[in-house]
Amino acid sequence: MTHETGTGRVVLAGAPLGNIGDASARLREVLASADVVAAEDTRRLARLARDLGVTVSGRVVSYFEGNDERRTPELLEALTDGATVAVVTDGGMPSVSDPGYRLVKAALEAGFPVTAAPGPSAVTTALALSGLPSDRFVFEGFLPRTGSHRRSRLRELAAEPRTLVFFEAPHRIAGALGDLAAAFGDQRPAAVCRELTKTYEEIRRGTLRELASWAAESEPRGEITLVIGGAPAGPPPRPSDEELRAAVAEREAAGSTRRDAIQAVAEDFGLKKREVYGLVVSAPR
């Protein structure tokens, strides 16, 4: 069912990543005219509106990862009443690893139109600044938080030939880069893009080994986007014996039998099962 013109609609409003000069005229118009503004952080919305010289006349509600499931039916009700609902995050485009997707899906299923006032995106900004191939890329969002899950995910991505883009928290960046170097090879080219468009913007380019050492020493802060070069043609680099044993141990700890864990690790890295088995049974006790 598609609702008639004049009924409610959703507008995804792209907000500046940091530099207020990147705000569009459309963003100002949407914030000033929307009946409801669903904001990831209502305090940041108030500061954004003040910086833009815009008065938000509509009802402001919080809409973030922790409450979006509960809040979405309320926003659908507003759409049914004919409201224009604007979604704005702390920076960048809503629903790109930020709140918004749940409402977009629900609104479309209910037949309401969804449009956008496009704005900056950390994904494409970092990609363009990285100096790495940008004709084909994959956005992976945030890596898993725990080391074992992160390493498992990276093993799955090690042979991906397209440029990869990740978000990462500053307190996990050194560990993530270390795991990336182990999974992808420490000579894989990469870029750490920190505080994009802000006063202390920094783009650090180098190999994964160089960047992991830098992050461990400097403890970078702020919002970080990682861009990693795709895998070169051919099989991924063979992990060290210790890394292979650790990969088997992780799968065993997660509940796999040793036989299944060895088989899975061998498949992950394109190795013969007997080679991985030999490494495991010969491990020093």
Side-chain angles (χ1 to χ4, degrees):
M1 178 180 69
T2 300
H3 290 265
E4 297 178 1
T5 302
T7 60
R9 63 174 184 149
V10 174
V11 183
L12 303 176
L17 300 175
N19 190 323
I20 197 65
D22 295 334
S24 69
R26 284 280 311 283
L27 174 62
R28 290 177 168 85
E29 176 188 334
V30 168
L31 292 180
S33 63
D35 301 297
V36 180
V37 179
E40 183 176 11
D41 186 323
T42 57
R43 292 168 298 180
R44 289 201 182 191
L45 171 65
R47 184 162 61 248
L48 174 64
R50 184 172 63 251
D51 291 343
L52 294 175
V54 170
T55 299
V56 178
S57 57
R59 178 165 59 96
V60 174
V61 299
S62 64
Y63 192 70
F64 55 91
E65 186 178 349
N67 77 351
D68 59 347
E69 183 174 6
R70 172 174 54 84
R71 187 76 77 182
T72 295
E74 175 187 330
L75 296 176
L76 283 177
E77 185 176 343
L79 292 170
T80 302
D81 291 339
T84 293
V85 177
V87 182
V88 62
T89 68
D90 295 344
M93 281 298 298
S95 85
V96 180
S97 201
D98 268 332
Y101 169 73
R102 189 184 296 273
L103 178 59
V104 169
K105 185 174 185 294
L108 292 175
E109 288 176 349
F112 293 104
V114 177
T115 187
S121 168
V123 176
T124 52
T125 301
L127 182 67
L129 292 174
S130 70
L132 295 167
S134 57
D135 53 338
R136 300 174 67 230
F137 71 95
V138 179
F139 174 55
E140 283 287 323
F142 283 93
L143 285 166
R145 297 187 179 192
T146 60
S148 60
H149 290 123
R150 183 170 64 208
R151 288 188 288 272
S152 177
R153 183 72 186 113
L154 291 177
R155 286 195 294 271
E156 295 172 1
L157 295 170
E160 171 57 61
R162 293 168 292 185
T163 299
L164 295 119
V165 183
F166 301 93
F167 289 158
E168 192 51 277
H171 63 280
R172 294 196 298 266
I173 188 64
L177 285 167
D179 286 345
L180 279 159
F184 289 7
D186 60 10
Q187 294 304 304
R188 185 81 71 92
V192 177
C193 304
R194 187 179 71 85
E195 294 290 88
L196 289 169
T197 78
K198 299 177 184 178
T199 302
Y200 298 105
E201 175 181 282
E202 180 180 20
I203 314 296
R204 179 75 57 158
R205 304 173 184 87
T207 65
L208 284 172
R209 179 171 64 181
E210 292 167 341
L211 293 173
S213 296
W214 163 78
E217 295 170 0
S218 62
E219 299 181 351
R221 299 181 180 182
E223 296 184 350
I224 294 173
T225 305
L226 292 175
V227 186
I228 317 294
R238 182 190 184 283
S240 69
D241 292 353
E242 282 306 311
E243 288 167 347
L244 288 169
R245 291 185 184 113
V248 172
E250 282 181 14
R251 288 185 175 271
E252 285 188 276
S256 293
T257 64
R258 173 162 290 189
R259 178 179 178 179
D260 288 344
I262 289 171
Q263 178 71 41
V265 170
E267 291 175 357
D268 282 348
F269 294 104
L271 301 173
K272 293 185 180 301
K273 182 179 176 181
R274 65 173 176 270
E275 179 181 357
V276 180
Y277 174 81
L279 289 172
V280 172
V281 298
S282 66
R285 295 184 180 274

